[in-house]
Amino acid sequence: MSSPHIFIREAAMPDRYDLPTGFRWGVATAAHQIEGAVDEDGRGPSIWDTFTARPGTVRDGHTGAVACDHYHRYPEDIELMRGLGLDGYRFSIAWPRIQPTGAGPADPAGLAFYDRLVDALLEACITPLPTLFHWDLPQALEDRGGWLNRDTAHRFADYTALVADHLGDRVPAWITLNEPFVHMVYGYALGIHAPGRALMLDALPVAHHQLLAHGLAATLLHERGLDVLVSNNLTPVEPASPSPADLAAADAYDTLHNRLFTDPLLLGRYPDLTAFGTGPDLHGAVRPGDLDLITATPLTGLGVNYYNPTRIAAPTDPSLPFTFAEIPDVPHTAFGWPIVPDGLRALLVSLHDRYGTALPPVTITENGCSTTEGLDDPTRISYLSTHLDALATAVAEGVDVRGYYTWSLLDNFEWAEGYHQRFGLVHVDFATQQRTPRASYTWYRDLIAAHRARCAKEGSV
Ligand code: FCB
């Protein structure tokens, strides 16, 4: 029987051990989700400190004030990474630690923390892969309009230069932005995340200003001989039916979620946004020369964060050109996200088909699942293993994928869900900060070791 979904293929898949030699294994985290220590060593407030202080924004009033206390416990966390045998660690740098007010010289104490972190990673033979912006904008910049203000892109460039000048001798590759799509939609369109603005389609300039920030930062990184990636959340989009109305709605959603950021980055132009009430200038945000700047530095890699596909139907209210539909007959994570591993294959193949030679090598910079399971977490193991099989299938179908960073090393502060969604290979008891590796930790460690052993054997014949 054939699948009802375009992205569920029932053909045999190669297994995850078929991933190429040199494929890089990692884990991913983000500063505000793990560091804590929000008032220490001169760190300034970020939009997430302000947002979480407002009643009703985060489930049960949780905040990132302590999180996993990684700011103090990073040596223990790096030992956990060493135990996994990782090639790389994706983390983010907290801009408010480097520039507490979003401008001016670097705070030496802020830089010193990332010095310690990077040096300890290198000591453990783990390559640091920092993200420069994972949503924790200095509050002082939000007070001047945040990403609605074009000047924030220039402030981001200044911050990038400070950090790259300091760490660039030890850190070869950098991710400029994390999920600019989610930051725009959740933070500025819907107000579910910081800074909590509910502007709906008037949030679109936030897309352009983030891309401009990427372009400015990429130029500076490139001038310093550093590799540049950018990570976005992407999703394969399925129409709820073959009706022209559902197809048009699915196309509109695909444009917003997948093409709004990727087309300018790879093709140097915005997709047709008329369904969203704007021309290619995004409500006047785009100025002459901006798109050239965004594409001036070729990406070393495209970071793809994949969690689930999306099913779309014709709109039910006129304010948006689509509506979300349930994906039937699939299991869901504790977060309620549909589990569809083949969506990862479909997504990667569609990127390859859509962008052709303009697509740089891909790295999966996030993929993982939240469960309510304790230390024994078969659902997470199944999620990760089936997604890696799907990834191996995409590679067999010709997509150049260079690495996989699972989300996440530790249970952590999951934004609007607080500490309720647990994504970690390592369980964290937030009352005691006790870390305990789950079954998935051991499984991932063994997978990495088995892949390496297989590559070594193949290399020796
Ligand atoms: C992604 C975010 C990451 C984490 C995971 C679960 O959208 O980039 O910080 O919250 O979702």
Side-chain angles (χ1 to χ4, degrees), residues 106-410:
D107 184 323
L111 286 177
F113 170 65
Y114 296 105
D115 266 333
R116 296 194 292 278
L117 180 68
V118 161
D119 289 344
L121 286 166
L122 294 174
E123 173 70 31
C125 297
I126 298 169
T127 305
L129 177 59
T131 304
L132 285 158
F133 181 68
H134 200 126
W135 304 349
D136 45 358
L137 192 76
Q139 179 60 39
L141 295 183
E142 177 58 26
D143 294 342
R144 282 181 254 147
W147 288 109
L148 290 164
N149 182 351
R150 183 179 173 93
D151 187 57
T152 297
H154 294 282
R155 301 286 67 75
F156 181 73
D158 291 352
Y159 151 67
T160 298
L162 293 173
V163 183
D165 282 342
H166 197 77
L167 298 174
D169 57 338
R170 286 155 288 158
V171 175
W174 297 70
I175 297 172
T176 53
L177 308 172
N178 177 67
E179 297 193 354
F181 170 78
V182 174
H183 190 52
M184 175 187 78
V185 171
Y186 280 48
Y188 287 85
L190 302 174
I192 298 166
H193 282 181
R197 314 215 22 193
L199 302 171
M200 294 307 285
L201 293 176
D202 289 340
L204 278 169
V206 169
H208 184 65
H209 295 148
Q210 288 185 92
L211 284 168
L212 184 63
H214 161 81
L216 292 164
T219 306
L220 294 168
L221 293 165
H222 191 63
E223 281 168 7
R224 287 160 176 75
L226 303 170
D227 287 344
V228 184
L229 296 89
V230 57
S231 292
N232 207 1
N233 181 293
L234 299 176
T235 183
V237 179
E238 177 185 74
S241 83
S243 77
D246 285 354
L247 285 171
D251 190 51
Y253 189 74
D254 182 42
T255 298
L256 186 70
H257 196 132
N258 296 315
R259 296 182 57 194
L260 174 61
F261 292 89
T262 320
D263 280 16
L265 284 164
L266 301 185
L267 306 177
R269 58 172 184 265
Y270 280 104
D272 181 354
L273 295 165
T274 43
F276 298 97
T278 179
D281 67 340
L282 272 75
H283 299 314
V286 183
R287 296 193 190 162
D290 284 0
L291 283 155
D292 291 340
L293 206 148
I294 289 164
T295 45
T297 305
L299 289 171
T300 319
L302 183 71
V304 170
N305 295 356
Y306 171 77
Y307 289 93
N308 54 261
T310 307
R311 190 174 171 93
I312 291 291
T316 45
D317 99 65
S319 63
L320 285 175
F322 59 80
T323 188
F324 294 103
E326 281 289 308
I327 298 183
D329 308 327
V330 297
H332 290 75
T333 71
F335 217 142
W337 298 350
I339 302 179
V340 186
D342 194 51
L344 178 56
R345 180 201 60 80
L347 172 66
L348 292 170
V349 170
S350 74
L351 284 170
H352 183 66
D353 291 347
R354 179 171 281 170
Y355 297 107
T357 54
L359 182 70
V362 170
T363 292
I364 305 302
T365 42
E366 287 183 28
N367 175 242
C369 93
S370 73
T371 82
T372 52
E373 293 164 350
L375 297 180
D376 196 17
D377 53 346
T379 302
R380 179 169 295 104
I381 293 174
S382 159
Y383 182 98
L384 298 177
S385 64
T386 51
H387 282 74
L388 283 166
D389 287 338
L391 195 162
T393 311
V395 171
E397 291 180 14
V399 190
D400 183 359
V401 187
R402 301 281 174 93
Y404 176 88
Y405 290 71
T406 192
W407 186 271
S408 184
L409 177 70
L410 305 167

Side-chain angles (χ1 to χ4, degrees), residues 32-34 48 51-52 56-68 192-193 335 370 407 410-424 428 430:
H32 195 70
Q33 295 181 272
I34 62 166
W48 272 94
F51 184 73
T52 53
T57 51
V58 175
R59 217 171 133 189
D60 288 339
H62 292 170
T63 77
V66 177
C68 306
I192 298 166
H193 282 181
F335 217 142
S370 73
W407 186 271
L410 305 167
D411 293 340
N412 59 46
F413 175 69
E414 178 45 44
W415 310 116
E417 286 288 303
Y419 297 96
H420 291 290
Q421 303 298 339
R422 291 178 176 266
F423 280 86
V428 178
F430 291 104

